[in-house]
Amino acid sequence: MINVAILGYGVIGSGTYKVITQNQDIVKGNAGDAVQVKAVLDLREFPGSPVEDILTHDFNDILNDDEIDIVVEVMGGTGAAYKFVKASLEAGKSVVTSNKALVAAYGPELIRIAREKNINFMFEASVGGGIPIIRPLISCITADEILEITGILNGTTNFILTDMYEEGSEFEPVLKQAQANGFAEADPTADIEGHDACRKIAILTALAEGQFVDFEDIPCRGITGISAEDIAYAKALGKKIKLLASTRYSGGNIYSEVSPCMIDSSNPLYAVDGVMNAVLVKGNMLGDIMFYGAGAGSLPTASAVVSDIVACCRHMHENIPVRMDPEKLTVHDPAELKDRYFIRVSADADIASKVPCECEITIPDAEGEKAVITKAIAGAELKDLEGIISCIKVR
Amino acid sequence: MINVAILGYGVIGSGTYKVITQNQDIVKGNAGDAVQVKAVLDLREFPGSPVEDILTHDFNDILNDDEIDIVVEVMGGTGAAYKFVKASLEAGKSVVTSNKALVAAYGPELIRIAREKNINFMFEASVGGGIPIIRPLISCITADEILEITGILNGTTNFILTDMYEEGSEFEPVLKQAQANGFAEADPTADIEGHDACRKIAILTALAEGQFVDFEDIPCRGITGISAEDIAYAKALGKKIKLLASTRYSGGNIYSEVSPCMIDSSNPLYAVDGVMNAVLVKGNMLGDIMFYGAGAGSLPTASAVVSDIVACCRHMHENIPVRMDPEKLTVHDPAELKDRYFIRVSADADIASKVPCECEITIPDAEGEKAVITKAIAGAELKDLEGIISCIKVR
């Protein structure tokens, strides 16, 4: 019998409890031993819930319980979560987390402690929810020089952009609707400004490189500036606008960013709609591979958490090597790279004389203006352009 | 230094050599030791090629070389390949193969020998080419009851169906063109009749269940009967026809088949075109996840082979548990399940009185006939219908 404690009985914590109990035979078969939830930490009470009798308000009850082998941190944040995770690891308990903020901030330290204690710190659920991406990145894509990792890593923004595309709506009313439906949080800033996706691409890049990536080094632009007209243009061009979190390798440098981009139907990410997430990895031998699935939600995310618990059980006192050296990786600004850009200007602007353009387009939905797609140019070349209504990278 | 021997210097064998040599620093970093190709077995000579000096025509040179730790079998077939793989494992050498016919026929025995010898028999490249699917299925999807595994597992047929869809062409000329372009073999039977996809879904099902699946038990229909009219109807219905290799779980039974199916754009497999492959896995907690990539080709397949070599290096004298018990799994005929069917009949046929239908459609491309989509019915209900021009499952 392997005993698990869950820190936080919210959306993912309750999902984790449900997966462990409802799929207990499957989990036992894969883990090699029965797995049970012995304690749940939460400041709230849950009278009548299945965890009522195992609930504690004191983390020390868990930390000092030698029968608890694995601690699942699904509280979120980097305050108490960090303290509890670190203490658990130092006490020789493996830790599984879905907390991208924690991994993005303290990954190298927590991975090191787990290695020193010969236990495991696992975080499959921190990126892409239920999509297996962290383990495949570490254990499957081992023969390739990675050329690019690009993901749709935030379900809320993808839901909003999909809805704007399908309904022709503006950002604000769609956001309000998403909040009403539970697809966006009351304070949606972390999602719509791209901060959530930014932490996730920082984690993926750090794992690909084996070195810490500071998400604050990554240029990050969300989707609040995307209008119904931008999307109408995209549609007319046979494209969609997606919030891409992307790392590209070029000339020995690493370029990361989070940015809304126009992509066309030849890109496998084009068909990733609604709350679904996907990660595209380009290898020098593999070409493009893509991992697709539910990027959030209680049960899919909990499924990834429990798959990490299973891995911890299979390797109970054996550290599975994960490299994330603490020295910060230098991440360059992709404005140095040559990309194409979609640019809207007023109808009388003479943009073609200022930047080399591939095509010019007008649409009935946007009177008095026009748009161009530039040839591949460095982002810096756009700096002095005046009168731009909007500018979106074309990938 | 870890020494590898490659059996067969064809498309995948030469790709494997290229990945190992060209990405040697990456492979060394991931494997924990340098990997070199010490010998290549082939009956042919390759004068002037990089393997000229390490070529042998005698398998015993490899079998008896104690310095060779890992044998890569990329010859294909189940004759010499089986003999050589078995002998290598019995001699204590780990084996990596891309040979789906070998795994589908002898998987349980070869996995058992590897376990007994505390080495590894790995076959990531046998299904889905470069797509990581076998390792994720074994090591990532461990918390879910699997409800369905459905794949586009053959690049040749997907290329043909995509071309027929885009060009409105008939099967035969597209096949000829695919052969001319190298996307179909001179004898295309194994691909176009579905035999290749059938072996692959047998392997995936066997791994999901931990038990041998005989591909001969799986009803298998290829794409030779698909006409330009079928595809024109599909288009008019907003659907595509894809060759799906599929295992579904229902009422405690397992239903497998290979069959052309109509799918619509809400299915993630809809966007998988050309030579690309993808595998959709449905879990009771995860929902749908999909793995997408190049299902064939020298370098993508070789990348999967080399990722298996890396895994063998990391676990040199440690068997990574894989379950495939020899007792044959009972696979049921999906005709017992209720599915919807697309059925073409002559314009005056009274099909709606014989099977419950969802819709009826006529298209200009097919005069004198009509088509229906039935409600969900057991396949057996279609047995006595007369005058059917074609019948395709709708998924």
Side-chain angles (χ1 to χ4, degrees), chain A residues 274-330:
Chain A
V275 295
M276 302 309 275
N277 279 199
V279 183
L280 186 73
V281 180
K282 203 185 281 288
N284 71 331
M285 299 296 173
L286 265 179
D288 287 348
I289 58 174
M290 187 176 77
F291 303 85
Y292 165 98
S298 174
L299 295 178
T301 308
S303 165
V305 166
V306 178
S307 77
D308 271 352
I309 294 174
V310 167
C312 285
C313 294
R314 287 180 180 176
H315 304 272
M316 193 45 104
H317 294 287
E318 174 200 354
N319 179 255
I320 303 170
V322 180
R323 245 191 77 208
M324 200 189 285
D325 296 342
E327 196 199 335
K328 202 168 92 168
L329 191 75
T330 303

Side-chain angles (χ1 to χ4, degrees), chain B residues 84-377:
Chain B
F84 294 169
V85 166
K86 190 173 170 182
S88 299
L89 290 169
E90 284 174 339
K93 301 179 194 298
S94 283
V95 171
V96 171
T97 184
S98 63
N99 184 342
K100 70 220 148 248
L102 179 72
V103 179
Y106 297 105
E109 181 189 15
L110 301 171
I111 288 168
R112 175 183 53 75
I113 300 172
R115 185 170 51 240
E116 288 168 2
K117 294 282 178 181
N118 211 27
I119 49 176
N120 290 291
F121 173 61
M122 300 196 130
F123 43 91
E124 180 64 72
S126 68
V127 181
I131 306 171
I133 175 62
I134 298 213
R135 210 167 292 127
L137 196 60
I138 295 171
S139 71
C140 298
I141 308 170
T142 54
D144 275 59
E145 183 188 338
I146 293 177
L147 306 176
E148 179 181 335
I149 302 173
T150 296
I152 293 175
L153 292 175
N154 181 271
T156 302
T157 46
N158 204 41
F159 175 85
I160 292 172
L161 290 171
T162 301
D163 213 43
M164 289 175 73
Y165 179 87
E166 286 172 358
E167 308 295 335
S169 320
E170 287 291 352
F171 173 77
E172 281 296 338
V174 174
L175 170 62
K176 287 214 164 61
Q177 192 57 46
Q179 288 173 310
N181 296 341
F183 292 126
E185 295 190 40
D187 178 359
T189 313
D191 292 320
I192 63 178
E193 297 294 358
H195 305 157
D196 173 81
C198 188
R199 281 164 176 78
K200 291 171 177 169
I201 191 68
I203 294 171
L204 294 182
T205 308
L207 289 171
E209 288 300 305
Q211 205 175 329
F212 179 62
V213 172
D214 188 342
F215 62 84
E216 297 198 22
D217 292 346
I218 298 177
C220 180
R221 179 181 159 201
I223 64 164
T224 54
I226 302 297
S227 66
E229 286 79 22
D230 292 327
I231 289 182
Y233 275 108
K235 228 176 194 168
L237 290 159
K239 299 180 193 295
K240 287 181 185 171
I241 298 175
K242 296 288 185 189
L243 183 66
L244 300 186
S246 183
T247 288
R248 288 181 282 175
Y249 295 75
S250 179
N253 289 334
I254 293 169
Y255 299 86
S256 297
E257 70 185 317
V258 174
S259 172
C261 293
M262 280 196 192
I263 58 176
D264 64 30
S265 63
S266 67
N267 188 323
L269 296 170
Y270 179 87
V272 178
D273 282 332
V275 295
M276 302 310 275
N277 279 197
V279 183
L280 185 73
V281 180
K282 202 184 281 289
N284 72 330
M285 299 295 174
L286 265 180
D288 287 348
I289 57 174
M290 186 175 76
F291 303 84
Y292 165 97
S298 173
L299 295 178
T301 307
S303 166
V305 166
V306 178
S307 76
D308 272 351
I309 294 175
V310 168
C312 286
C313 294
R314 287 180 179 176
H315 304 271
M316 193 45 104
H317 293 289
E318 175 200 353
N319 179 255
I320 302 170
V322 180
R323 244 191 78 208
M324 200 189 284
D325 296 343
E327 195 199 335
K328 202 169 93 166
L329 191 74
T330 303
V331 177
H332 293 258
D333 187 336
E336 297 170 22
L337 293 175
K338 291 202 169 180
D339 280 304
R340 296 181 305 148
Y341 291 87
F342 162 86
I343 300 174
R344 281 166 61 198
V345 290
S346 67
D348 53 4
D350 178 23
I351 184 155
S353 74
K354 290 167 192 151
V355 284
C357 292
E358 228 173 44
C359 72
E360 187 172 302
I361 180 176
T362 59
I363 59 168
D365 288 352
E367 268 179 57
E369 62 169 77
K370 63 183 176 186
V372 297
I373 291 182
T374 70
K375 294 188 174 168
I377 54 173

Side-chain angles (χ1 to χ4, degrees), chain A residues 126-174:
Chain A
S126 68
V127 180
I131 307 171
I133 175 61
I134 299 215
R135 209 165 293 126
L137 195 59
I138 295 171
S139 71
C140 298
I141 308 170
T142 55
D144 275 59
E145 183 188 339
I146 294 177
L147 306 176
E148 179 181 334
I149 302 173
T150 296
I152 293 175
L153 291 176
N154 181 270
T156 302
T157 46
N158 204 41
F159 175 84
I160 292 172
L161 291 171
T162 300
D163 214 43
M164 289 175 73
Y165 179 88
E166 285 172 359
E167 308 295 334
S169 320
E170 287 291 352
F171 173 76
E172 281 297 339
V174 174

Side-chain angles (χ1 to χ4, degrees), chain A residues 41-210:
Chain A
L41 176 76
D42 205 295
L43 294 179
R44 297 165 290 182
E45 303 286 348
F46 297 94
S49 96
V51 301
E52 187 176 9
D53 295 339
I54 54 171
L55 198 67
T56 173
H57 304 310
D58 184 357
F59 172 65
N60 287 313
D61 291 347
I62 290 167
L63 187 65
N64 298 327
D65 186 340
D66 289 340
E67 287 183 358
I68 290 175
D69 309 288
I70 299 168
V71 172
V72 174
E73 186 278 303
V74 284
M75 306 160 58
T78 54
Y82 169 63
K83 254 177 48 188
F84 295 168
V85 165
K86 190 172 170 181
S88 299
L89 290 169
E90 284 173 340
K93 300 180 194 300
S94 283
V95 171
V96 172
T97 184
S98 63
N99 184 342
K100 69 219 148 252
L102 179 71
V103 180
Y106 297 105
E109 181 190 16
L110 300 171
I111 288 168
R112 176 184 52 77
I113 300 173
R115 185 169 51 242
E116 287 168 2
K117 294 283 178 182
N118 211 26
I119 51 177
N120 290 291
F121 173 61
M122 301 197 131
F123 43 90
E124 180 63 72
S126 68
V127 180
I131 307 171
I133 175 61
I134 299 215
R135 209 165 293 126
L137 195 59
I138 295 171
S139 71
C140 298
I141 308 170
T142 55
D144 275 59
E145 183 188 339
I146 294 177
L147 306 176
E148 179 181 334
I149 302 173
T150 296
I152 293 175
L153 291 176
N154 181 270
T156 302
T157 46
N158 204 41
F159 175 84
I160 292 172
L161 291 171
T162 300
D163 214 43
M164 289 175 73
Y165 179 88
E166 285 172 359
E167 308 295 334
S169 320
E170 287 291 352
F171 173 76
E172 281 297 339
V174 174
L175 170 62
K176 288 212 164 62
Q177 193 56 49
Q179 287 173 311
N181 295 341
F183 291 126
E185 296 190 38
D187 177 359
T189 313
D191 292 320
I192 63 179
E193 297 294 356
H195 306 157
D196 173 80
C198 187
R199 281 163 177 78
K200 292 171 177 170
I201 191 68
I203 294 171
L204 294 182
T205 308
L207 289 171
E209 288 299 306

Side-chain angles (χ1 to χ4, degrees), chain B residues 23-87:
Chain B
N23 284 357
Q24 60 178 303
D25 290 345
I26 290 158
V27 171
K28 183 180 178 180
N30 286 319
D33 200 346
V35 172
Q36 81 166 0
V37 180
K38 196 182 176 203
V40 171
L41 176 75
D42 205 295
L43 295 178
R44 297 164 291 182
E45 304 287 348
F46 297 94
S49 96
V51 300
E52 188 177 8
D53 295 338
I54 54 170
L55 197 69
T56 172
H57 304 310
D58 183 357
F59 171 66
N60 287 312
D61 291 347
I62 291 166
L63 187 67
N64 298 326
D65 185 340
D66 290 339
E67 288 183 357
I68 291 175
D69 309 288
I70 299 168
V71 172
V72 174
E73 185 279 302
V74 283
M75 305 160 59
T78 54
Y82 169 63
K83 253 177 50 189
F84 294 169
V85 166
K86 190 173 170 182

